Amino acid sequence: MPPDLVARVRLLRTPSIGPITYRQLVARFGSAEAALDAVPDLARRGGGRMPALATEAQAEREIATVEKLGGRYLSIGQGLYPRLLAEADDAPPLLTVIGDLALLERPAVAMVGARNASAAACRFARSLAHELGQRGHVVVSGLARGIDTAAHEGALETGTIGVIAGGLDIFYPPENEALQRAVGERGLVVAEMPPGTEPRARHFPYRNRIIAGLCPGTIVVEAAPRSGSLITARLAAELGREVMAVPGSPLDPRAQGCNGLIRDGATLIQNASEVLEALRPGLGGVRSGRDLFDHVPQEAAPPEPDEAERRRVEELLGPSPAPVDEIVRLSGLEPGAVQLVLLELDLAGRLDRHAGGKVSLCLGGQLNGER
């Protein structure tokens, strides 16, 4: 097995190393193999226990399972890893995929909505996905019940990507097993989690960020307030992507989310032509990320912070999330030196990372769940 891939899997499957920490480690040390060698010393300097590194045997078993399933890995910065997704700060460093990789190089649009969608909304989503496919767009969704299912069905003949919350070998919901297999054979199935992972509630927002990240625009067909579909729309907006919504009756709670999005500035759409018009400024869309962070020249390492400087950074942290930029400003240190101290605390299990580039000190020194 390729040593670099084994090292990447080991690094990413190590507890407390999520996408942001992974990217910082590889950017700093130049490769996953070098980062693995550096982790023990970084954790020691952070004042905590070293995370138990995933073993070579564990990584090799996972890789063999993916290959047995007919899948392969996409590593950020290499090969066909999607450029638009790689723009997200917390983009998954590794994806496992089954199906037609050429779909990642075609223009794409995401379509999400309610699991308990109305028959009319499902019919509209199926028809809209079909027409978008006929006009050259890949339709990306989450293989859930309701709108997701309708979107995949409508675009199955022309090209669809299903992003799942569990491993490649897990079918959820169970009644969509045949659809997921069909998408894997005629489209593309994408997973962030390793094989064998049953989807849990915390996995679905991670899945949603991939759906939003793959596309220059996201369509919400039907969604209740505080639904997962609105999370996807918010993530798309945070990435600077187009958010589109289909209006619905104010008497139907399933339309409240879409109507609210439109009220807050989302583009109202009623047909494929309006979708394509909304996407026009951002077309040129999903291409491979061959020249991302793995291939940029390494920056010169910042001066090693001394103990007093480490204490200064740690004293600026507390249980409430604070922007990293503010910590840099208040500390008076070079940004690279502050990032190194944060990385050490992170690997020692003493730092939590939050959305929006914020960090906090982990009370009790518990391992964080950074994604």
Side-chain angles (χ1 to χ4, degrees):
M1 294 181 180
D4 179 63
L5 178 58
V6 172
R8 287 169 181 267
V9 174
R10 287 185 64 198
L11 189 63
L12 190 58
R13 303 308 181 215
T14 293
S16 85
I17 295 181
I20 296 172
T21 303
Y22 177 104
R23 293 182 75 160
Q24 290 182 346
L25 284 167
V26 174
R28 181 172 180 81
F29 295 102
S31 70
E33 293 169 292
L36 285 168
D37 292 337
V39 165
D41 187 52
L42 291 170
R44 179 189 57 77
R45 288 187 296 186
R49 293 176 302 167
M50 188 190 88
L53 294 171
T55 67
E56 285 189 24
Q58 290 171 325
E60 288 172 353
R61 282 197 298 271
E62 178 183 321
I63 295 167
T65 300
V66 170
E67 291 176 349
K68 186 176 180 180
L69 291 168
R72 62 170 290 180
Y73 287 87
L74 301 182
S75 298
I76 194 166
Q78 296 184 342
L80 287 170
Y81 194 97
R83 176 181 296 276
L84 284 183
L85 179 58
E87 291 177 359
D89 290 339
D90 61 348
L94 289 175
L95 296 171
T96 55
V97 298
I98 293 177
D100 183 3
L101 292 171
L103 294 178
L104 292 172
E105 297 201 323
R106 288 174 49 191
V109 61
M111 190 180 302
V112 296
R115 287 176 169 82
N116 65 333
S118 65
C122 288
R123 186 170 62 251
F124 177 84
R126 192 176 296 109
S127 174
L128 180 62
H130 177 76
E131 187 173 351
L132 288 168
Q134 291 291 324
R135 298 176 72 168
H137 276 62
V138 173
V139 175
V140 179
S141 197
L143 276 165
R145 301 180 183 95
I147 297 301
D148 289 19
T149 295
H152 290 303
E153 290 173 344
L156 194 56
E157 297 301 324
T158 53
T160 187
I161 297 174
V163 185
I164 57 176
L168 282 178
D169 54 345
I170 302 299
F171 302 97
Y172 184 87
E175 62 265 30
N176 271 6
E177 178 175 350
L179 177 60
Q180 184 172 322
R181 290 188 185 278
V183 172
E185 291 168 1
R186 297 150 72 181
L188 185 71
V189 175
V190 176
E192 176 182 10
M193 299 300 164
T197 303
E198 294 281 352
R200 300 286 182 263
R202 68 180 183 277
H203 295 152
F204 287 94
Y206 305 156
R207 185 273 313 263
N208 294 346
R209 88 189 193 288
I210 298 173
I211 294 172
L214 283 170
C215 307
T218 294
I219 305 165
V220 185
V221 176
E222 203 170 59
R226 296 183 298 277
S227 65
S229 300
L230 295 190
I231 293 175
T232 308
R234 174 178 59 79
L235 293 169
E238 289 174 355
L239 287 168
R241 313 291 168 79
E242 186 72 27
V243 177
M244 297 160 277
V246 178
S249 168
L251 301 178
D252 188 344
R254 292 169 295 194
Q256 290 179 8
C258 288
N259 292 344
L261 286 173
I262 294 167
R263 179 195 61 212
D264 295 337
T267 301
L268 185 156
I269 62 104
Q270 301 173 93
N271 53 55
S273 294
E274 291 178 351
V275 172
L276 298 182
E277 182 62 31
L279 290 176
R280 194 165 302 283
L283 287 180
V286 182
R287 289 193 289 269
S288 61
R290 298 178 187 274
D291 58 348
L292 292 163
F293 81 97
D294 282 339
H295 299 295
V296 299
Q298 277 185 264
E299 296 180 2
E304 192 77 18
D306 59 29
E307 289 307 311
E309 291 170 333
R310 284 189 168 87
R311 282 197 301 273
R312 193 185 314 166
V313 172
E314 190 168 341
E315 287 168 358
L316 290 170
L317 295 167
S320 298
V324 172
D325 289 348
E326 183 71 2
I327 294 168
V328 171
R329 186 182 68 80
L330 293 173
S331 71
L333 302 176
E334 291 292 325
V338 173
Q339 290 287 4
L340 179 58
V341 176
L342 297 178
L343 186 58
E344 293 167 354
L345 293 170
D346 194 352
L347 292 170
R350 301 182 58 210
L351 190 80
D352 273 328
R353 295 188 185 273
H354 306 270
K358 295 182 179 180
V359 292
S360 65
L361 206 57
C362 195
L363 296 178
Q366 297 298 310
L367 289 175
N368 70 61
E370 177 250 309
R371 297 299 308 174

